[in-house]
Amino acid sequence: QVQLVESGGGLVQAGGSLRLSCAASGSIFKINAMGWYRQAPGKQREWVAFITSVGTTNYADSVKGRFTISRDNAKNTVYLQMNSLKPEDTAVYYCNADLTIRAGVTVNYWGQGTQVTVSS
């Protein structure tokens, strides 16, 4: 019943910027946290960043200082502002949401993924 819709991926040159968006919809009582993961070809899925319901953020070392995660609670949307992009940032980026469906019930959902390609 919950859907995460991602957008904002694309092709950019090294040093460029992109902003990813992920909008959650459906039967959501509360968004506990939302985050971003990525998976590059031949690699395991890697955690990138998360933001909690109270705004606490954290980042993987590989993106710290370059990426910024933010949220718009009114829209149930999380963003990932990606600056100073590097070719090694190339991956499919997945939105993840930790949701409370109802009292005492927490569910984790994934978006469909959006491709980010950074050319050198």
Side-chain angles (χ1 to χ4, degrees):
Q1 304 298 330
V2 175
Q3 187 175 23
L4 304 181
V5 180
E6 299 162 333
S7 62
L11 173 65
V12 297
Q13 294 183 350
S17 298
L18 285 174
R19 190 179 77 156
L20 306 183
S21 299
C22 175
S25 62
S27 300
I28 302 170
F29 180 79
K30 180 183 178 182
I31 299 177
N32 303 310
M34 297 185 72
W36 292 93
Y37 291 72
R38 66 187 182 186
Q39 188 166 22
K43 295 185 177 180
Q44 296 180 343
R45 189 167 296 186
E46 173 191 29
W47 167 74
V48 175
F50 75 82
I51 185 167
T52 71
S53 61
V54 296
T56 301
T57 61
N58 205 356
Y59 301 90
D61 288 342
S62 59
V63 306
K64 193 174 299 181
R66 300 186 298 119
F67 291 11
T68 302
I69 189 169
S70 61
R71 62 193 172 100
D72 185 336
N73 291 338
K75 298 180 179 179
N76 284 346
T77 299
V78 65
Y79 305 93
L80 186 68
Q81 178 67 47
M82 304 184 295
N83 299 325
S84 301
L85 283 163
K86 304 175 181 179
E88 51 262 43
D89 295 319
T90 295
V92 177
Y93 283 70
Y94 296 92
C95 177
N96 178 266
D98 185 76
L99 309 174
T100 297
I101 305 300
R102 58 182 185 272
V105 180
T106 301
V107 182
N108 190 269
Y109 285 90
W110 291 90
Q112 80 287 350
T114 184
Q115 177 70 48
V116 172
T117 302
V118 184
S119 62
S120 59

